Amino acid sequence: MDVKFPTLLCLTLLFTAILNPALSELCNQEDKKVLLQIKKAFNDPYVLTSWKPETDCCDWYCVTCDSTTNRINSLTIFAGQVSGQIPAQVGDLPYLETLEFHKQPNLTGPIQPSIVKLKSLKFLRLSWTNISGSVPDFLSQLKNLTFLDLSFSNLTGSIPSSLSQLPNLNALHLDRNKLTGHIPKSFGEFHGSVPELYLSHNQLSGNIPTSLAKLDFNRIDFSRNKLEGDASMIFGLNKTTQIVDLSRNLLEFNLSKVEFSKSLISLDLNHNKITGGIPVGLTQLDLQFLNVSYNRLCGQIPVGGKLQSFDSSTYFHNRCLCGAPLPSCK
């Protein structure tokens, strides 16, 4: 064989690559086409300046390519501003596992329906935006989701009960919206993982479903809603719950009868209508935070554990609580 042949072949391939950059790109050309459409739909924002047709899209800001397939698997925009609605073309990135629009106050309109096509999606965050409309039922079809964050937006309507059909969900953030209606009964029947539930700062009403007694939640934040009645089903000796915040609701139950898990480290029940006394069981816990102020509690604060390490603001504005750190009982 002529020794010049390999050299000529390499030179030919090099010139071909220079003349046709697409051949030397890692980026999938269909993905690139879609990304350029997304950029156009957002009116060419500054944050997407690196998205140029003549460069490899695997090198662009705000996206990543899979190391094996070189398909776009992540689209995250959380620095710099985009305006308008989420473009429908986001649904045309079939290998997307992460989709994130965070701290985008000029992002408006509903949650884009084409997101339902992203069957590989694991992480969806649309937070600190001005997205409005309802929490769509179709999200329950994204069976690979492990993290769903729709917080700090303008979402209205009720929470779809179908979200409990997400088998791999580890965390659900619907906090700081304008959601109304009840907490779905189905939230006591998550199929698979039991997610951390963040539903605070909404306008949710009615009773907390008794079905929640069946599940062992690690964290629950239902604070600043209009929830009524009993909340004791959230607790239990055999659970591994660590953090519970039910503050600023209309809850009304007897705290004396509640049994707490040894794992509980933070309990906030302030501004409710809770009656009874503080259970002795709380002295057995390694509490890092406690607030039972502004309720209707009575009786002596049990001595022991961490209960005396908190100041009076943890206990004040109750009916007749007494004992350290409050004034002694008469």
Side-chain angles (χ1 to χ4, degrees):
M1 180 188 288
D2 187 344
V3 292
K4 294 179 181 177
F5 180 73
T7 308
L8 286 169
L9 181 62
C10 289
L11 285 169
T12 304
L13 290 172
L14 177 63
F15 283 122
T16 306
I18 292 168
L19 292 170
N20 189 352
L23 293 177
S24 62
E25 277 189 44
L26 294 174
C27 173
N28 177 276
Q29 293 305 296
E30 281 302 308
D31 288 350
K32 186 176 196 175
K33 181 180 170 185
V34 170
L35 290 172
L36 290 171
Q37 289 171 347
I38 291 170
K39 181 184 179 184
K40 185 178 179 182
F42 277 136
N43 292 315
D44 298 334
Y46 180 75
V47 68
L48 303 181
T49 302
S50 68
W51 293 19
K52 295 176 180 175
E54 66 272 15
T55 58
D56 189 335
C57 73
C58 288
D59 296 329
W60 292 354
Y61 291 151
C62 303
V63 293
T64 59
C65 288
D66 183 89
S67 58
T68 306
T69 65
N70 296 319
R71 299 301 297 259
I72 294 291
N73 63 4
S74 171
L75 171 57
T76 58
I77 300 178
F78 52 80
Q81 297 295 315
V82 295
S83 299
Q85 300 192 17
I86 298 173
Q89 290 90 341
V90 296
D92 297 327
L93 295 168
Y95 290 83
L96 212 58
E97 295 181 8
T98 297
L99 178 60
E100 179 172 9
F101 291 98
H102 178 58
K103 291 194 174 178
Q104 298 295 327
N106 298 320
L107 196 66
T108 57
I111 294 174
Q112 175 54 245
S114 69
I115 289 173
V116 75
K117 296 192 286 184
L118 302 174
K119 301 303 182 187
S120 298
L121 204 63
K122 296 178 181 176
F123 184 103
L124 177 59
R125 171 179 276 155
L126 309 174
S127 59
W128 295 73
T129 71
N130 267 307
I131 285 174
S132 57
S134 60
V135 178
D137 195 55
F138 69 69
L139 292 173
S140 63
Q141 297 178 44
L142 302 174
K143 301 298 184 186
N144 288 307
L145 272 186
T146 60
F147 185 90
L148 177 57
D149 183 358
L150 306 177
S151 63
F152 289 86
S153 292
N154 287 315
L155 297 171
T156 54
S158 58
I159 299 172
S161 59
S162 59
L163 292 181
S164 65
Q165 295 167 20
L166 292 168
N168 299 299
L169 198 63
N170 295 321
L172 175 61
H173 291 260
L174 300 177
D175 44 307
R176 294 186 186 259
N177 280 287
K178 298 172 183 174
L179 300 173
T180 54
H182 295 190
I183 296 171
K185 291 178 182 177
S186 65
F187 276 22
E189 298 160 1
F190 273 92
H191 304 174
S193 300
V194 180
E196 297 180 355
L197 283 183
Y198 299 88
L199 307 180
S200 71
H201 294 77
N202 280 291
Q203 296 162 32
L204 300 172
S205 58
N207 291 343
I208 296 173
T210 55
S211 59
L212 267 62
K214 294 184 282 185
L215 294 187
D216 186 4
F217 293 91
N218 182 261
R219 293 184 181 209
I220 280 186
D221 186 354
F222 293 168
S223 62
R224 292 180 184 264
N225 281 288
K226 300 174 183 176
L227 299 170
E228 303 171 16
D230 189 17
S232 61
M233 79 293 290
I234 287 170
F235 307 100
L237 276 176
N238 298 321
K239 296 194 177 187
T240 58
T241 307
Q242 289 191 300
I243 297 173
V244 176
D245 188 348
L246 304 174
S247 61
R248 294 181 183 271
N249 278 287
L250 304 167
L251 297 168
E252 198 167 350
F253 60 97
N254 187 339
L255 190 63
S256 308
K257 298 178 180 179
V258 178
E259 294 183 314
F260 295 96
S261 63
K262 292 284 197 294
S263 55
L264 195 67
I265 57 171
S266 178
L267 177 64
D268 195 345
L269 302 174
N270 81 77
H271 286 85
N272 278 288
K273 301 177 181 179
I274 299 167
T275 58
I278 293 177
V280 176
L282 284 180
T283 63
Q284 305 299 311
L285 308 185
D286 187 21
L287 287 170
Q288 296 172 17
F289 180 86
L290 176 67
N291 193 342
V292 294
S293 65
Y294 291 91
N295 277 290
R296 298 173 182 179
L297 299 171
C298 213
Q300 182 162 1
I301 297 169
V303 176
K306 294 286 188 71
L307 296 191
Q308 277 66 49
S309 69
F310 302 109
D311 64 27
S312 61
S313 65
T314 289
Y315 303 102
F316 67 7
H317 291 276
N318 272 288
R319 185 163 284 163
C320 49
L321 275 183
C322 58
L326 296 180
S328 58
C329 301
K330 295 175 182 177

